PDB file of all heavy atoms in Angstrom:
ATOM      1  N   GLY A  11       8.206   5.919   2.659  1.00 97.00           N
ATOM      2  CA  GLY A  11       7.410   5.073   1.785  1.00 97.00           C
ATOM      3  C   GLY A  11       8.119   3.794   1.395  1.00 97.00           C
ATOM      4  O   GLY A  11       8.599   3.039   2.244  1.00 97.00           O
ATOM      5  N   SER A  12       8.204   3.537   0.091  1.00 98.00           N
ATOM      6  CA  SER A  12       8.852   2.330  -0.430  1.00 98.00           C
ATOM      7  C   SER A  12      10.367   2.456  -0.483  1.00 98.00           C
ATOM      8  O   SER A  12      11.056   1.520  -0.850  1.00 98.00           O
ATOM      9  CB  SER A  12       8.335   2.032  -1.844  1.00 98.00           C
ATOM     10  OG  SER A  12       8.628   3.112  -2.712  1.00 98.00           O
ATOM     11  N   ARG A  13      10.893   3.651  -0.114  1.00 98.00           N
ATOM     12  CA  ARG A  13      12.328   3.954  -0.202  1.00 98.00           C
ATOM     13  C   ARG A  13      12.814   3.884  -1.646  1.00 98.00           C
ATOM     14  O   ARG A  13      13.946   3.528  -1.947  1.00 98.00           O
ATOM     15  CB  ARG A  13      13.152   3.040   0.689  1.00 98.00           C
ATOM     16  CG  ARG A  13      12.898   3.280   2.177  1.00 98.00           C
ATOM     17  CD  ARG A  13      11.870   2.319   2.747  1.00 98.00           C
ATOM     18  NE  ARG A  13      11.495   2.691   4.119  1.00 98.00           N
ATOM     19  CZ  ARG A  13      11.217   1.797   5.061  1.00 98.00           C
ATOM     20  NH1 ARG A  13      11.306   0.502   4.810  1.00 98.00           N
ATOM     21  NH2 ARG A  13      10.845   2.195   6.247  1.00 98.00           N
ATOM     22  N   VAL A  14      11.905   4.230  -2.555  1.00 98.00           N
ATOM     23  CA  VAL A  14      12.194   4.242  -3.990  1.00 98.00           C
ATOM     24  C   VAL A  14      11.863   5.633  -4.534  1.00 98.00           C
ATOM     25  O   VAL A  14      10.797   6.175  -4.263  1.00 98.00           O
ATOM     26  CB  VAL A  14      11.361   3.182  -4.736  1.00 98.00           C
ATOM     27  CG1 VAL A  14      11.437   3.382  -6.243  1.00 98.00           C
ATOM     28  CG2 VAL A  14      11.827   1.781  -4.365  1.00 98.00           C
ATOM     29  N   VAL A  15      12.771   6.195  -5.299  1.00 98.00           N
ATOM     30  CA  VAL A  15      12.544   7.461  -5.986  1.00 98.00           C
ATOM     31  C   VAL A  15      12.436   7.197  -7.483  1.00 98.00           C
ATOM     32  O   VAL A  15      13.240   6.458  -8.062  1.00 98.00           O
ATOM     33  CB  VAL A  15      13.687   8.459  -5.707  1.00 98.00           C
ATOM     34  CG1 VAL A  15      13.610   9.665  -6.645  1.00 98.00           C
ATOM     35  CG2 VAL A  15      13.635   8.931  -4.250  1.00 98.00           C
ATOM     36  N   SER A  16      11.423   7.793  -8.103  1.00 98.00           N
ATOM     37  CA  SER A  16      11.276   7.734  -9.559  1.00 98.00           C
ATOM     38  C   SER A  16      12.275   8.708 -10.181  1.00 98.00           C
ATOM     39  O   SER A  16      12.154   9.933  -9.994  1.00 98.00           O
ATOM     40  CB  SER A  16       9.842   8.104  -9.953  1.00 98.00           C
ATOM     41  OG  SER A  16       9.760   8.551 -11.288  1.00 98.00           O
ATOM     42  N   PRO A  17      13.278   8.224 -10.918  1.00 98.00           N
ATOM     43  CA  PRO A  17      14.320   9.122 -11.423  1.00 98.00           C
ATOM     44  C   PRO A  17      13.818  10.135 -12.443  1.00 98.00           C
ATOM     45  O   PRO A  17      14.356  11.240 -12.533  1.00 98.00           O
ATOM     46  CB  PRO A  17      15.340   8.166 -12.042  1.00 98.00           C
ATOM     47  CG  PRO A  17      14.575   6.927 -12.361  1.00 98.00           C
ATOM     48  CD  PRO A  17      13.537   6.816 -11.285  1.00 98.00           C
ATOM     49  N   SER A  18      12.805   9.779 -13.218  1.00 98.00           N
ATOM     50  CA  SER A  18      12.311  10.688 -14.256  1.00 98.00           C
ATOM     51  C   SER A  18      11.485  11.830 -13.677  1.00 98.00           C
ATOM     52  O   SER A  18      11.391  12.894 -14.289  1.00 98.00           O
ATOM     53  CB  SER A  18      11.460   9.925 -15.267  1.00 98.00           C
ATOM     54  OG  SER A  18      12.201   8.899 -15.887  1.00 98.00           O
ATOM     55  N   THR A  19      10.884  11.599 -12.502  1.00 98.00           N
ATOM     56  CA  THR A  19       9.964  12.587 -11.945  1.00 98.00           C
ATOM     57  C   THR A  19      10.437  13.205 -10.631  1.00 98.00           C
ATOM     58  O   THR A  19       9.942  14.262 -10.244  1.00 98.00           O
ATOM     59  CB  THR A  19       8.588  11.934 -11.684  1.00 98.00           C
ATOM     60  OG1 THR A  19       8.720  10.952 -10.642  1.00 98.00           O
ATOM     61  CG2 THR A  19       8.052  11.276 -12.950  1.00 98.00           C
ATOM     62  N   GLY A  20      11.337  12.537  -9.918  1.00 98.00           N
ATOM     63  CA  GLY A  20      11.783  13.027  -8.616  1.00 98.00           C
ATOM     64  C   GLY A  20      10.845  12.724  -7.478  1.00 98.00           C
ATOM     65  O   GLY A  20      11.079  13.168  -6.346  1.00 98.00           O
ATOM     66  N   PHE A  21       9.777  11.949  -7.734  1.00 98.00           N
ATOM     67  CA  PHE A  21       8.825  11.622  -6.672  1.00 98.00           C
ATOM     68  C   PHE A  21       9.352  10.480  -5.801  1.00 98.00           C
ATOM     69  O   PHE A  21       9.801   9.442  -6.319  1.00 98.00           O
ATOM     70  CB  PHE A  21       7.471  11.200  -7.249  1.00 98.00           C
ATOM     71  CG  PHE A  21       6.734  12.295  -7.967  1.00 98.00           C
ATOM     72  CD1 PHE A  21       6.207  12.081  -9.232  1.00 98.00           C
ATOM     73  CD2 PHE A  21       6.556  13.533  -7.382  1.00 98.00           C
ATOM     74  CE1 PHE A  21       5.521  13.082  -9.906  1.00 98.00           C
ATOM     75  CE2 PHE A  21       5.875  14.552  -8.041  1.00 98.00           C
ATOM     76  CZ  PHE A  21       5.360  14.331  -9.304  1.00 98.00           C
ATOM     77  N   LEU A  22       9.285  10.653  -4.485  1.00 98.00           N
ATOM     78  CA  LEU A  22       9.491   9.551  -3.546  1.00 98.00           C
ATOM     79  C   LEU A  22       8.185   8.777  -3.475  1.00 98.00           C
ATOM     80  O   LEU A  22       7.119   9.361  -3.224  1.00 98.00           O
ATOM     81  CB  LEU A  22       9.887  10.086  -2.170  1.00 98.00           C
ATOM     82  CG  LEU A  22      10.094   9.058  -1.068  1.00 98.00           C
ATOM     83  CD1 LEU A  22      11.235   8.105  -1.390  1.00 98.00           C
ATOM     84  CD2 LEU A  22      10.345   9.762   0.266  1.00 98.00           C
ATOM     85  N   MET A  23       8.243   7.464  -3.693  1.00 98.00           N
ATOM     86  CA  MET A  23       7.039   6.669  -3.878  1.00 98.00           C
ATOM     87  C   MET A  23       6.536   6.032  -2.578  1.00 98.00           C
ATOM     88  O   MET A  23       7.311   5.732  -1.670  1.00 98.00           O
ATOM     89  CB  MET A  23       7.304   5.570  -4.916  1.00 98.00           C
ATOM     90  CG  MET A  23       7.779   6.081  -6.267  1.00 98.00           C
ATOM     91  SD  MET A  23       6.651   7.284  -7.039  1.00 98.00           S
ATOM     92  CE  MET A  23       5.192   6.252  -7.276  1.00 98.00           C
ATOM     93  N   ASN A  24       5.244   5.813  -2.544  1.00 98.00           N
ATOM     94  CA  ASN A  24       4.581   5.185  -1.397  1.00 98.00           C
ATOM     95  C   ASN A  24       4.896   3.688  -1.319  1.00 98.00           C
ATOM     96  O   ASN A  24       5.423   3.094  -2.260  1.00 98.00           O
ATOM     97  CB  ASN A  24       3.070   5.385  -1.499  1.00 98.00           C
ATOM     98  CG  ASN A  24       2.469   4.578  -2.652  1.00 98.00           C
ATOM     99  OD1 ASN A  24       2.292   3.366  -2.568  1.00 98.00           O
ATOM    100  ND2 ASN A  24       2.158   5.258  -3.770  1.00 98.00           N
ATOM    101  N   ASN A  25       4.523   3.081  -0.186  1.00 97.00           N
ATOM    102  CA  ASN A  25       4.528   1.610  -0.080  1.00 97.00           C
ATOM    103  C   ASN A  25       3.162   1.123   0.391  1.00 97.00           C
ATOM    104  O   ASN A  25       3.027   0.326   1.316  1.00 97.00           O
ATOM    105  CB  ASN A  25       5.654   1.102   0.829  1.00 97.00           C
ATOM    106  CG  ASN A  25       5.480   1.500   2.295  1.00 97.00           C
ATOM    107  OD1 ASN A  25       4.895   2.544   2.593  1.00 97.00           O
ATOM    108  ND2 ASN A  25       5.998   0.686   3.204  1.00 97.00           N
ATOM    109  N   GLY A  26       2.124   1.616  -0.291  1.00 97.00           N
ATOM    110  CA  GLY A  26       0.749   1.311   0.086  1.00 97.00           C
ATOM    111  C   GLY A  26       0.380  -0.159   0.052  1.00 97.00           C
ATOM    112  O   GLY A  26      -0.592  -0.575   0.704  1.00 97.00           O
ATOM    113  N   ILE A  27       1.123  -1.002  -0.683  1.00 97.00           N
ATOM    114  CA  ILE A  27       0.815  -2.429  -0.729  1.00 97.00           C
ATOM    115  C   ILE A  27       0.950  -3.056   0.657  1.00 97.00           C
ATOM    116  O   ILE A  27       0.295  -4.061   0.965  1.00 97.00           O
ATOM    117  CB  ILE A  27       1.738  -3.142  -1.744  1.00 97.00           C
ATOM    118  CG1 ILE A  27       1.473  -2.621  -3.157  1.00 97.00           C
ATOM    119  CG2 ILE A  27       1.558  -4.655  -1.711  1.00 97.00           C
ATOM    120  CD1 ILE A  27       0.024  -2.738  -3.618  1.00 97.00           C
ATOM    121  N   MET A  28       1.756  -2.443   1.523  1.00 95.00           N
ATOM    122  CA  MET A  28       1.929  -3.002   2.864  1.00 95.00           C
ATOM    123  C   MET A  28       0.650  -2.931   3.692  1.00 95.00           C
ATOM    124  O   MET A  28       0.513  -3.621   4.701  1.00 95.00           O
ATOM    125  CB  MET A  28       3.055  -2.287   3.602  1.00 95.00           C
ATOM    126  CG  MET A  28       3.485  -3.005   4.864  1.00 95.00           C
ATOM    127  SD  MET A  28       4.785  -2.163   5.756  1.00 95.00           S
ATOM    128  CE  MET A  28       3.966  -0.668   6.262  1.00 95.00           C
ATOM    129  N   TRP A  29      -0.306  -2.089   3.297  1.00 92.00           N
ATOM    130  CA  TRP A  29      -1.555  -2.002   4.036  1.00 92.00           C
ATOM    131  C   TRP A  29      -2.363  -3.311   3.937  1.00 92.00           C
ATOM    132  O   TRP A  29      -3.268  -3.538   4.730  1.00 92.00           O
ATOM    133  CB  TRP A  29      -2.398  -0.853   3.507  1.00 92.00           C
ATOM    134  CG  TRP A  29      -2.415   0.348   4.411  1.00 92.00           C
ATOM    135  CD1 TRP A  29      -2.593   0.368   5.756  1.00 92.00           C
ATOM    136  CD2 TRP A  29      -2.275   1.708   4.005  1.00 92.00           C
ATOM    137  NE1 TRP A  29      -2.563   1.647   6.219  1.00 92.00           N
ATOM    138  CE2 TRP A  29      -2.367   2.505   5.172  1.00 92.00           C
ATOM    139  CE3 TRP A  29      -2.089   2.331   2.782  1.00 92.00           C
ATOM    140  CZ2 TRP A  29      -2.284   3.893   5.146  1.00 92.00           C
ATOM    141  CZ3 TRP A  29      -1.995   3.713   2.762  1.00 92.00           C
ATOM    142  CH2 TRP A  29      -2.096   4.491   3.922  1.00 92.00           C
ATOM    143  N   PHE A  30      -2.076  -4.140   2.954  1.00 94.00           N
ATOM    144  CA  PHE A  30      -2.836  -5.369   2.749  1.00 94.00           C
ATOM    145  C   PHE A  30      -2.192  -6.543   3.477  1.00 94.00           C
ATOM    146  O   PHE A  30      -0.968  -6.653   3.540  1.00 94.00           O
ATOM    147  CB  PHE A  30      -2.929  -5.700   1.256  1.00 94.00           C
ATOM    148  CG  PHE A  30      -3.655  -4.673   0.442  1.00 94.00           C
ATOM    149  CD1 PHE A  30      -2.957  -3.740  -0.322  1.00 94.00           C
ATOM    150  CD2 PHE A  30      -5.035  -4.633   0.439  1.00 94.00           C
ATOM    151  CE1 PHE A  30      -3.621  -2.800  -1.082  1.00 94.00           C
ATOM    152  CE2 PHE A  30      -5.717  -3.690  -0.317  1.00 94.00           C
ATOM    153  CZ  PHE A  30      -5.005  -2.776  -1.073  1.00 94.00           C
ATOM    154  N   ASP A  31      -3.028  -7.437   3.968  1.00 92.00           N
ATOM    155  CA  ASP A  31      -2.555  -8.680   4.586  1.00 92.00           C
ATOM    156  C   ASP A  31      -2.135  -9.630   3.465  1.00 92.00           C
ATOM    157  O   ASP A  31      -2.938  -9.960   2.593  1.00 92.00           O
ATOM    158  CB  ASP A  31      -3.685  -9.297   5.417  1.00 92.00           C
ATOM    159  CG  ASP A  31      -3.225 -10.461   6.273  1.00 92.00           C
ATOM    160  OD1 ASP A  31      -2.207 -11.097   5.932  1.00 92.00           O
ATOM    161  OD2 ASP A  31      -3.907 -10.755   7.280  1.00 92.00           O
ATOM    162  N   PRO A  32      -0.861 -10.086   3.437  1.00 95.00           N
ATOM    163  CA  PRO A  32      -0.427 -10.973   2.349  1.00 95.00           C
ATOM    164  C   PRO A  32      -1.033 -12.364   2.424  1.00 95.00           C
ATOM    165  O   PRO A  32      -0.953 -13.121   1.438  1.00 95.00           O
ATOM    166  CB  PRO A  32       1.090 -11.020   2.511  1.00 95.00           C
ATOM    167  CG  PRO A  32       1.313 -10.738   3.957  1.00 95.00           C
ATOM    168  CD  PRO A  32       0.247  -9.761   4.352  1.00 95.00           C
ATOM    169  N   GLU A  33      -1.628 -12.737   3.556  1.00 94.00           N
ATOM    170  CA  GLU A  33      -2.325 -14.020   3.653  1.00 94.00           C
ATOM    171  C   GLU A  33      -3.703 -13.886   3.018  1.00 94.00           C
ATOM    172  O   GLU A  33      -4.435 -12.927   3.281  1.00 94.00           O
ATOM    173  CB  GLU A  33      -2.469 -14.447   5.109  1.00 94.00           C
ATOM    174  CG  GLU A  33      -1.201 -14.914   5.762  1.00 94.00           C
ATOM    175  CD  GLU A  33      -1.466 -15.565   7.099  1.00 94.00           C
ATOM    176  OE1 GLU A  33      -1.725 -16.780   7.135  1.00 94.00           O
ATOM    177  OE2 GLU A  33      -1.424 -14.848   8.116  1.00 94.00           O
ATOM    178  N   GLN A  34      -4.072 -14.851   2.204  1.00 94.00           N
ATOM    179  CA  GLN A  34      -5.375 -14.802   1.546  1.00 94.00           C
ATOM    180  C   GLN A  34      -6.481 -15.264   2.495  1.00 94.00           C
ATOM    181  O   GLN A  34      -6.244 -15.950   3.479  1.00 94.00           O
ATOM    182  CB  GLN A  34      -5.349 -15.662   0.287  1.00 94.00           C
ATOM    183  CG  GLN A  34      -4.397 -15.138  -0.784  1.00 94.00           C
ATOM    184  CD  GLN A  34      -4.712 -13.713  -1.210  1.00 94.00           C
ATOM    185  OE1 GLN A  34      -5.797 -13.437  -1.725  1.00 94.00           O
ATOM    186  NE2 GLN A  34      -3.789 -12.788  -0.974  1.00 94.00           N
ATOM    187  N   GLY A  35      -7.703 -14.848   2.186  1.00 91.00           N
ATOM    188  CA  GLY A  35      -8.851 -15.251   2.985  1.00 91.00           C
ATOM    189  C   GLY A  35      -9.132 -14.375   4.181  1.00 91.00           C
ATOM    190  O   GLY A  35      -9.977 -14.699   5.012  1.00 91.00           O
ATOM    191  N   LYS A  36      -8.444 -13.237   4.289  1.00 85.00           N
ATOM    192  CA  LYS A  36      -8.641 -12.299   5.395  1.00 85.00           C
ATOM    193  C   LYS A  36      -9.481 -11.109   4.921  1.00 85.00           C
ATOM    194  O   LYS A  36      -9.633 -10.878   3.719  1.00 85.00           O
ATOM    195  CB  LYS A  36      -7.286 -11.809   5.922  1.00 85.00           C
ATOM    196  CG  LYS A  36      -6.342 -12.928   6.364  1.00 85.00           C
ATOM    197  CD  LYS A  36      -6.862 -13.589   7.628  1.00 85.00           C
ATOM    198  CE  LYS A  36      -5.873 -14.610   8.174  1.00 85.00           C
ATOM    199  NZ  LYS A  36      -4.641 -13.982   8.673  1.00 85.00           N
ATOM    200  N   PRO A  37     -10.056 -10.321   5.867  1.00 81.00           N
ATOM    201  CA  PRO A  37     -10.875  -9.174   5.436  1.00 81.00           C
ATOM    202  C   PRO A  37     -10.115  -8.169   4.577  1.00 81.00           C
ATOM    203  O   PRO A  37     -10.703  -7.479   3.757  1.00 81.00           O
ATOM    204  CB  PRO A  37     -11.293  -8.537   6.770  1.00 81.00           C
ATOM    205  CG  PRO A  37     -11.230  -9.644   7.763  1.00 81.00           C
ATOM    206  CD  PRO A  37     -10.098 -10.520   7.327  1.00 81.00           C
ATOM    207  N   ASN A  38      -8.800  -8.086   4.750  1.00 88.00           N
ATOM    208  CA  ASN A  38      -8.013  -7.086   4.043  1.00 88.00           C
ATOM    209  C   ASN A  38      -6.892  -7.744   3.229  1.00 88.00           C
ATOM    210  O   ASN A  38      -5.800  -7.211   3.112  1.00 88.00           O
ATOM    211  CB  ASN A  38      -7.420  -6.100   5.072  1.00 88.00           C
ATOM    212  CG  ASN A  38      -6.746  -4.916   4.416  1.00 88.00           C
ATOM    213  OD1 ASN A  38      -7.224  -4.382   3.427  1.00 88.00           O
ATOM    214  ND2 ASN A  38      -5.615  -4.512   4.970  1.00 88.00           N
ATOM    215  N   SER A  39      -7.166  -8.921   2.664  1.00 94.00           N
ATOM    216  CA  SER A  39      -6.118  -9.655   1.940  1.00 94.00           C
ATOM    217  C   SER A  39      -5.684  -8.924   0.674  1.00 94.00           C
ATOM    218  O   SER A  39      -6.476  -8.253   0.004  1.00 94.00           O
ATOM    219  CB  SER A  39      -6.615 -11.056   1.568  1.00 94.00           C
ATOM    220  OG  SER A  39      -6.746 -11.865   2.716  1.00 94.00           O
ATOM    221  N   LEU A  40      -4.411  -9.090   0.342  1.00 97.00           N
ATOM    222  CA  LEU A  40      -3.826  -8.484  -0.849  1.00 97.00           C
ATOM    223  C   LEU A  40      -4.484  -9.025  -2.115  1.00 97.00           C
ATOM    224  O   LEU A  40      -4.757 -10.216  -2.233  1.00 97.00           O
ATOM    225  CB  LEU A  40      -2.323  -8.782  -0.878  1.00 97.00           C
ATOM    226  CG  LEU A  40      -1.526  -8.279  -2.086  1.00 97.00           C
ATOM    227  CD1 LEU A  40      -1.566  -6.761  -2.149  1.00 97.00           C
ATOM    228  CD2 LEU A  40      -0.088  -8.782  -2.000  1.00 97.00           C
ATOM    229  N   GLY A  41      -4.719  -8.136  -3.048  1.00 97.00           N
ATOM    230  CA  GLY A  41      -5.268  -8.513  -4.341  1.00 97.00           C
ATOM    231  C   GLY A  41      -5.195  -7.332  -5.283  1.00 97.00           C
ATOM    232  O   GLY A  41      -4.919  -6.207  -4.869  1.00 97.00           O
ATOM    233  N   PRO A  42      -5.422  -7.537  -6.567  1.00 97.00           N
ATOM    234  CA  PRO A  42      -5.358  -6.437  -7.530  1.00 97.00           C
ATOM    235  C   PRO A  42      -6.562  -5.514  -7.436  1.00 97.00           C
ATOM    236  O   PRO A  42      -7.672  -5.938  -7.084  1.00 97.00           O
ATOM    237  CB  PRO A  42      -5.331  -7.160  -8.886  1.00 97.00           C
ATOM    238  CG  PRO A  42      -6.014  -8.469  -8.625  1.00 97.00           C
ATOM    239  CD  PRO A  42      -5.678  -8.846  -7.213  1.00 97.00           C
ATOM    240  N   ASP A  43      -6.347  -4.229  -7.715  1.00 97.00           N
ATOM    241  CA  ASP A  43      -7.408  -3.224  -7.826  1.00 97.00           C
ATOM    242  C   ASP A  43      -8.293  -3.170  -6.579  1.00 97.00           C
ATOM    243  O   ASP A  43      -9.512  -3.185  -6.664  1.00 97.00           O
ATOM    244  CB  ASP A  43      -8.267  -3.508  -9.071  1.00 97.00           C
ATOM    245  CG  ASP A  43      -9.113  -2.296  -9.464  1.00 97.00           C
ATOM    246  OD1 ASP A  43      -8.735  -1.163  -9.112  1.00 97.00           O
ATOM    247  OD2 ASP A  43     -10.157  -2.501 -10.117  1.00 97.00           O
ATOM    248  N   LYS A  44      -7.656  -3.087  -5.417  1.00 96.00           N
ATOM    249  CA  LYS A  44      -8.386  -2.977  -4.155  1.00 96.00           C
ATOM    250  C   LYS A  44      -7.988  -1.689  -3.437  1.00 96.00           C
ATOM    251  O   LYS A  44      -6.854  -1.235  -3.522  1.00 96.00           O
ATOM    252  CB  LYS A  44      -8.078  -4.178  -3.241  1.00 96.00           C
ATOM    253  CG  LYS A  44      -8.600  -5.505  -3.746  1.00 96.00           C
ATOM    254  CD  LYS A  44      -8.269  -6.623  -2.766  1.00 96.00           C
ATOM    255  CE  LYS A  44      -9.015  -6.482  -1.458  1.00 96.00           C
ATOM    256  NZ  LYS A  44      -8.784  -7.658  -0.572  1.00 96.00           N
ATOM    257  N   ALA A  45      -8.955  -1.131  -2.698  1.00 95.00           N
ATOM    258  CA  ALA A  45      -8.676   0.061  -1.902  1.00 95.00           C
ATOM    259  C   ALA A  45      -7.906  -0.314  -0.647  1.00 95.00           C
ATOM    260  O   ALA A  45      -8.173  -1.339  -0.018  1.00 95.00           O
ATOM    261  CB  ALA A  45      -9.983   0.761  -1.533  1.00 95.00           C
ATOM    262  N   CYS A  46      -6.952   0.535  -0.275  1.00 88.00           N
ATOM    263  CA  CYS A  46      -6.165   0.305   0.936  1.00 88.00           C
ATOM    264  C   CYS A  46      -6.942   0.763   2.169  1.00 88.00           C
ATOM    265  O   CYS A  46      -7.642   1.778   2.146  1.00 88.00           O
ATOM    266  CB  CYS A  46      -4.859   1.088   0.864  1.00 88.00           C
ATOM    267  SG  CYS A  46      -3.761   0.640  -0.490  1.00 88.00           S
ATOM    268  N   LEU A  47      -6.807   0.037   3.249  1.00 86.00           N
ATOM    269  CA  LEU A  47      -7.377   0.405   4.539  1.00 86.00           C
ATOM    270  C   LEU A  47      -6.424   1.368   5.239  1.00 86.00           C
ATOM    271  O   LEU A  47      -5.274   1.022   5.514  1.00 86.00           O
ATOM    272  CB  LEU A  47      -7.585  -0.846   5.396  1.00 86.00           C
ATOM    273  CG  LEU A  47      -7.971  -0.638   6.862  1.00 86.00           C
ATOM    274  CD1 LEU A  47      -9.328   0.032   6.971  1.00 86.00           C
ATOM    275  CD2 LEU A  47      -7.969  -1.973   7.598  1.00 86.00           C
ATOM    276  N   MET A  48      -6.890   2.598   5.519  1.00 92.00           N
ATOM    277  CA  MET A  48      -6.010   3.622   6.085  1.00 92.00           C
ATOM    278  C   MET A  48      -6.317   3.884   7.555  1.00 92.00           C
ATOM    279  O   MET A  48      -7.443   3.668   8.023  1.00 92.00           O
ATOM    280  CB  MET A  48      -6.177   4.929   5.308  1.00 92.00           C
ATOM    281  CG  MET A  48      -5.832   4.850   3.835  1.00 92.00           C
ATOM    282  SD  MET A  48      -5.896   6.489   3.041  1.00 92.00           S
ATOM    283  CE  MET A  48      -7.669   6.805   3.050  1.00 92.00           C
ATOM    284  N   ASN A  49      -5.313   4.415   8.273  1.00 92.00           N
ATOM    285  CA  ASN A  49      -5.484   4.812   9.663  1.00 92.00           C
ATOM    286  C   ASN A  49      -5.791   6.294   9.817  1.00 92.00           C
ATOM    287  O   ASN A  49      -5.874   6.788  10.941  1.00 92.00           O
ATOM    288  CB  ASN A  49      -4.198   4.503  10.448  1.00 92.00           C
ATOM    289  CG  ASN A  49      -3.902   3.024  10.495  1.00 92.00           C
ATOM    290  OD1 ASN A  49      -4.766   2.220  10.758  1.00 92.00           O
ATOM    291  ND2 ASN A  49      -2.649   2.661  10.207  1.00 92.00           N
ATOM    292  N   VAL A  50      -5.947   7.011   8.727  1.00 96.00           N
ATOM    293  CA  VAL A  50      -6.147   8.461   8.793  1.00 96.00           C
ATOM    294  C   VAL A  50      -7.484   8.797   9.437  1.00 96.00           C
ATOM    295  O   VAL A  50      -8.465   8.072   9.288  1.00 96.00           O
ATOM    296  CB  VAL A  50      -6.042   9.101   7.396  1.00 96.00           C
ATOM    297  CG1 VAL A  50      -4.672   8.836   6.795  1.00 96.00           C
ATOM    298  CG2 VAL A  50      -7.135   8.594   6.471  1.00 96.00           C
ATOM    299  N   CYS A  51      -7.518   9.932  10.171  1.00 98.00           N
ATOM    300  CA  CYS A  51      -8.729  10.284  10.918  1.00 98.00           C
ATOM    301  C   CYS A  51      -8.940  11.796  10.978  1.00 98.00           C
ATOM    302  O   CYS A  51      -8.970  12.391  12.065  1.00 98.00           O
ATOM    303  CB  CYS A  51      -8.628   9.705  12.336  1.00 98.00           C
ATOM    304  SG  CYS A  51     -10.172   9.764  13.284  1.00 98.00           S
ATOM    305  N   PRO A  52      -9.097  12.457   9.836  1.00 98.00           N
ATOM    306  CA  PRO A  52      -9.431  13.887   9.878  1.00 98.00           C
ATOM    307  C   PRO A  52     -10.864  14.073  10.394  1.00 98.00           C
ATOM    308  O   PRO A  52     -11.771  13.329  10.026  1.00 98.00           O
ATOM    309  CB  PRO A  52      -9.304  14.314   8.417  1.00 98.00           C
ATOM    310  CG  PRO A  52      -9.559  13.057   7.621  1.00 98.00           C
ATOM    311  CD  PRO A  52      -9.021  11.929   8.455  1.00 98.00           C
TER     312      PRO A  52
END
């Protein structure tokens, strides 16, 4: 994930922000309170 561990909880944290395109004006551009586009396929 983000290679960050929460010391109080022991959780290894995700890096879900990387799912967003940092360039604005794209279909999946980074912004607040947005759903991440996933590659999962159950």
Side-chain angles (χ1 to χ4, degrees):
S12 60
R13 293 96 188 215
V14 168
V15 168
S16 158
S18 300
T19 66
F21 294 131
L22 178 62
M23 303 304 296
N24 69 76
N25 66 330
I27 296 304
M28 193 181 65
W29 255 314
F30 297 101
D31 189 336
E33 287 191 87
Q34 295 303 298
K36 304 290 186 67
N38 188 40
S39 290
L40 178 63
D43 197 24
K44 293 181 67 174
C46 298
L47 171 64
M48 299 186 290
N49 296 314
V50 300
C51 192

